[in-house]
């Protein structure tokens, strides 16, 4: 008896709807995602149960390393340029176009005015290494007549406030940053009547659920 041969048929699945869904999801994530600005140094913020979100715009981010070195910056590059122009004029420092380009590409300010030009003259890789050893001076500037004024850190904060009066301050410290360094930074801000600032921390999910 002859065997009955079952005719094989190819199974065809229309993948067009799945491709459309994947494209829509990709567009959604691209439009809604916010890219984090790279930080000049690695900082591990302490944990807390606070769920207050830091605003995404008009924020002056202040970074404090475990060694107490201070950096600051804002994501608005036009504001950063205006801050730089004010500081260059105040300290009678000039930069060439290449140095200004490096400044705009840098994530944060972390060099004193006396070191800024030489720092911005370095190659990108060397800048990444050099910034680890720098930081904004917190000591008051002493003038020729012996009087003391603001520190360079305070001048950068004032320049940010002059550029954008609505800017908000956010401080991110490492969990190993000494309390003395944090207290000194806050004292610098309070001397300028900058009494409203937010501390950036990591959400402690475990404590939050307990």
């Amino acid at each position: 008896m002859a065997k009955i041969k079952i005719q094989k048929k190819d199974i065809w699945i229309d993948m067009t709807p799945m491709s459309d869904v994947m494209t829509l999801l990709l567009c959604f994530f691209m439009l809604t995602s916010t890219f984090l600005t790279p930080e000049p140094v690695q900082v591990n913020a302490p944990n807390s149960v606070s769920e207050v979100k830091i605003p995404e715009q008009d924020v002056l981010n202040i970074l404090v390393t475990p060694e107490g070195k201070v950096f600051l910056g804002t994501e608005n590059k036009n504001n950063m340029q205006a801050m730089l122009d004010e500081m260059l004029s105040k300290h009678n420092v000039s930069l060439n176009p290449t140095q200004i380009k490096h400044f705009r590409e840098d994530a944060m300010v972390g060099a004193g005015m006396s070191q800024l030009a030489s720092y911005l003259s370095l190659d990108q890789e060397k800048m990444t290494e050099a910034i680890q050893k720098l930081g904004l001076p917190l000591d008051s500037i002493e003038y020729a007549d012996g009087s003391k004024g603001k520190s360079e850190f305070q001048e950068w904060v004032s320049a940010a406030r002059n550029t954008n009066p609505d800017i908000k301050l956010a401080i991110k410290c490492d969990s190993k940053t000494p309390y003395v360094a944090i207290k000194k930074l806050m004292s610098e801000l309070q001397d300028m009547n900058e009494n409203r600032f937010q501390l950036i921390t990591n959400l402690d999910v475990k404590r939050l659920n307990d």
Side-chain angles (χ1 to χ4, degrees), residues 93-154:
V93 176
S94 60
L95 299 177
N96 59 43
T98 301
Q99 292 168 334
I100 294 176
K101 179 177 179 292
H102 285 174
F103 177 85
R104 292 181 65 89
E105 292 174 349
D106 222 358
M108 288 184 165
V109 182
M113 295 304 297
S114 61
Q115 303 168 307
L116 188 61
S118 57
Y119 165 69
L120 294 174
S121 298
L122 299 173
D123 295 333
Q124 195 66 41
E125 293 182 0
K126 293 183 178 179
M127 285 176 62
T128 304
E129 297 177 4
I131 198 67
Q132 309 291 325
K133 303 176 183 179
L134 301 176
L136 293 178
L138 296 179
D139 298 327
S140 299
I141 300 173
E142 187 171 349
Y143 299 109
D145 59 0
S147 62
K148 292 187 176 181
K150 294 180 178 180
S151 66
E152 287 190 24
F153 166 73
Q154 289 176 321

Side-chain angles (χ1 to χ4, degrees), residues 46-65:
N47 295 332
S48 75
V49 295
S50 175
E51 294 187 82
V52 179
K53 292 186 177 181
I54 303 296
E56 296 181 1
Q57 296 179 343
D58 298 333
V59 177
L60 182 67
N61 294 297
I62 302 171
L63 195 68
V64 188
T65 69

Side-chain angles (χ1 to χ4, degrees), residues 121-203:
S121 298
L122 299 173
D123 295 333
Q124 195 66 41
E125 293 182 0
K126 293 183 178 179
M127 285 176 62
T128 304
E129 297 177 4
I131 198 67
Q132 309 291 325
K133 303 176 183 179
L134 301 176
L136 293 178
L138 296 179
D139 298 327
S140 299
I141 300 173
E142 187 171 349
Y143 299 109
D145 59 0
S147 62
K148 292 187 176 181
K150 294 180 178 180
S151 66
E152 287 190 24
F153 166 73
Q154 289 176 321
E155 288 184 340
W156 278 104
V157 175
S158 295
R161 181 65 69 191
N162 294 337
T163 301
N164 182 3
D166 297 326
I167 202 165
K168 301 171 184 62
L169 307 184
I171 303 174
K172 183 178 181 181
C173 302
D174 193 275
S175 57
K176 297 180 180 179
T177 302
Y179 172 74
V180 176
I182 301 173
K183 185 176 184 299
K184 180 175 177 59
L185 178 70
M186 291 182 175
S187 297
E188 293 261 312
L189 293 174
Q190 290 171 347
D191 289 343
M192 305 170 60
N193 293 323
E194 293 286 355
N195 299 310
R196 295 178 65 86
F197 44 80
Q198 293 175 292
L199 297 177
I200 300 177
T201 57
N202 295 323
L203 184 62

